[in-house]
Amino acid sequence: MIPYGRQDISQDDIDAVVDVLRSDFLTQGPKVPEFEQQVASYTGAAHAIAVNSATSALHIACMALDVGPGDMVWTSPNSFVASANCARYCGAEVDFVDIDPNNWNLCPQKLADKLAHAEKQNRLPKVVIPVHLCGQSCDMAAIHALAQEYGFTIIEDASHAIGGRYRDDPVGSCRYSDIVVFSFHPVKIITTAEGGMALTNNADLFERMARLRTHGITRDPAQMVNEPAGPWYYEQLELGYNYRMTDLQAALGTSQIQRLDEFVARRNELAKRYDQLLANLPIHCPTVIADAYSSWHLYPIRLQLDRIKRSHREVFEALREGGIGVNLHYMPVHLQPYYRALGFEPGLFPEAEAYGRDAISLPMFPKLTEESQDQVVRLLRECLA
Ligand SMILES: *Cc1c(COP(=O)(O)O)cnc(C)c1O
């Protein structure tokens, strides 16, 4: 089976992890701050907090922005459920903004229309979470301008997008947002097995997220309510979690990030090759906006169902039977039973729903060979004939 995504682990990566096993610290040692420093300097963000998943990063990001009961958080329905769930963990209400039918990211015009409507009803969101689908940045300048106008904060869910760029900046710079989140799950661009990171340029948000990662505890006398009673002393200031990354994971990250640009360049080559090989088939290939350099986490195509004989499911199953591990990213979040139970209905976000009915993610990962890619294209061509 050719999977849709797969990690690329080198001997250096393995050695980096084994070195930690022989060292004094398996967790909370020197590798976590080293990896944080590398990601901060790669992106240009001032501060980075490594955690055990992007889901945890999204959670402490919402908490640091004081998301709670009575607040609204908006995100894209075309995402993994974690982009919305983080607000629910905080007791906030979730709503969605439909995607742009051309680039499949949260649509700034639809966001503007929804904000104008919400303002009249006094239901403006506290936080908006744009998701950089497939590794392509959303139109962050437009979303940032709306944040200034309507007074919401922004968390970029950049789980797909480390190594990508928007205008003059790496994704993760936080130039257009308060917090940016990365995932290091094995199918993503670089991996720490499980792992994630939150980046920010705001020192207060940094301090708060650092505390929330470790039970809400501080060892910094400047943050304490009381005078330190002795060298053992720490204070729990609020209810946090154990969301720490281990040194084993961070060591893998410090080694993987050495090859980040190489991985993204290879993904761009494969994407360009797919574009050429798939031209003239009854499908739509992904398009990238002029302002973005995509990290190409995913390469989804959309079937033109009115031009082919088979259904979406039939093409999907034929590819799977032919040994191609295609997938769907994503079924619309608002149609999950959990969100249906909160009142969301089919028809609310028609562009994301249409995407869920005709999209297929093809294999895309740095070690994908051109022969395998040709095999994918050959089988797809047969399925569409
Ligand atoms: C993978 C992913 C997440 C969650 O990442 P984890 O590190 O597995 O918690 C969140 N949002 C998006 C868009 C993702 O693709």
Side-chain angles (χ1 to χ4, degrees):
M1 188 73 117
I2 304 172
Y4 83 84
R6 181 173 161 64
Q7 71 276 15
D8 178 339
I9 300 294
S10 68
Q11 188 60 46
D12 283 350
D13 294 342
I14 293 167
D15 293 345
V17 175
V18 171
D19 284 348
V20 172
L21 280 171
R22 298 190 205 283
S23 78
D24 291 337
F25 300 100
L26 298 188
T27 190
Q28 295 270 77
K31 286 294 169 186
V32 168
E34 184 184 331
F35 184 41
E36 288 171 338
Q37 190 47 51
Q38 283 175 326
V39 179
S41 70
Y42 184 91
T43 57
H47 308 283
I49 308 278
V51 286
N52 58 359
S53 71
T55 303
S56 302
L58 287 164
H59 184 193
I60 61 173
C62 284
M63 288 180 78
L65 293 171
D66 289 321
V67 171
D71 293 327
M72 294 284 296
V73 173
W74 293 3
T75 187
S76 171
N78 192 20
S79 186
F80 185 55
V81 293
S83 310
N85 289 348
C86 54
R88 298 295 301 151
Y89 296 151
C90 299
E93 268 184 69
V94 168
D95 202 355
F96 301 93
V97 181
D98 208 357
I99 59 171
D100 179 304
N102 297 311
N103 61 48
W104 316 332
N105 270 330
L106 186 148
C107 173
Q109 186 54 53
K110 294 191 172 82
L111 175 60
D113 295 345
K114 195 175 172 99
L115 287 164
H117 187 68
E119 187 177 41
K120 288 194 199 106
Q121 303 185 316
N122 218 5
R123 298 270 293 156
L124 283 170
K126 184 169 210 163
V127 177
V128 172
I129 307 182
V131 180
H132 303 324
L133 191 78
C134 308
Q136 165 169 216
S137 176
C138 293
D139 182 353
M140 288 310 300
I143 296 170
H144 181 252
L146 291 167
Q148 302 295 97
E149 187 179 345
Y150 288 97
F152 58 85
T153 51
I154 300 175
I155 302 170
E156 295 174 60
D157 184 345
S159 290
H160 299 181
I162 193 170
R165 299 182 68 85
Y166 175 73
R167 296 195 174 168
D168 295 330
D169 300 292
V171 171
S173 72
C174 304
R175 181 184 289 272
Y176 302 95
S177 63
D178 300 273
I179 299 171
V180 178
V181 167
F182 291 137
S183 172
F184 307 122
H185 181 278
V187 294
K188 306 286 165 72
I189 309 292
I190 59 171
T191 189
T192 60
E194 296 283 359
M197 202 173 280
L199 296 118
T200 184
N201 288 332
N202 179 311
D204 294 333
L205 293 176
F206 168 66
E207 204 170 85
R208 187 96 191 272
M209 291 193 288
R211 272 204 316 256
L212 289 166
R213 167 175 68 180
T214 308
H215 309 279
I217 284 173
T218 184
R219 292 177 184 277
D220 175 5
Q223 294 181 39
M224 289 180 186
V225 176
N226 301 305
E227 285 296 311
W232 61 85
Y233 192 78
Y234 58 80
E235 282 184 353
Q236 184 191 346
L237 297 175
E238 63 184 315
L239 188 61
Y241 297 85
N242 177 355
Y243 280 168
R244 290 186 302 268
M245 177 180 276
T246 67
D247 255 34
L248 293 164
Q249 293 168 303
L252 183 53
T254 62
S255 181
Q256 283 260 302
I257 200 172
Q258 312 298 329
R259 290 187 293 150
L260 171 55
D261 288 341
E262 201 182 297
F263 288 157
V264 171
R266 175 63 181 158
R267 287 173 178 274
N268 270 270
E269 264 174 32
L270 289 166
K272 201 164 282 165
R273 204 160 175 274
Y274 267 137
D275 288 346
Q276 288 159 1
L277 294 169
L278 298 174
N280 306 320
L281 288 180
I283 60 173
H284 296 291
C285 291
T287 54
V288 178
I289 59 172
D291 284 332
Y293 172 67
S294 178
S295 58
W296 288 107
H297 163 52
L298 299 170
Y299 190 95
I301 56 163
R302 296 188 62 180
L303 306 180
Q304 295 179 350
L305 291 168
D306 52 346
R307 294 179 59 198
I308 62 176
K309 293 202 187 69
R310 295 199 201 190
S311 68
H312 180 232
R313 180 174 179 158
E314 285 164 350
V315 174
F316 210 99
E317 286 175 343
L319 289 168
R320 282 270 179 101
E321 277 158 28
I324 315 295
V326 290
N327 222 314
L328 172 57
H329 303 94
Y330 291 94
M331 294 180 280
V333 176
H334 67 284
L335 299 184
Q336 292 292 345
Y338 172 77
Y339 285 96
R340 287 296 303 274
L342 294 174
F344 292 99
E345 299 275 348
L348 283 172
F349 306 103
E351 296 296 348
E353 292 170 27
Y355 183 97
R357 286 192 297 266
D358 62 21
I360 300 179
S361 300
L362 301 182
M364 169 56 89
F365 51 94
K367 277 223 159 79
L368 181 67
T369 62
E370 298 187 353
E371 296 73 58
S372 294
Q373 195 180 25
D374 289 342
Q375 192 184 327
V376 172
V377 171
R378 210 176 312 120
L379 189 57
L380 179 65
R381 192 179 289 280
E382 279 170 30
C383 291
L384 299 177

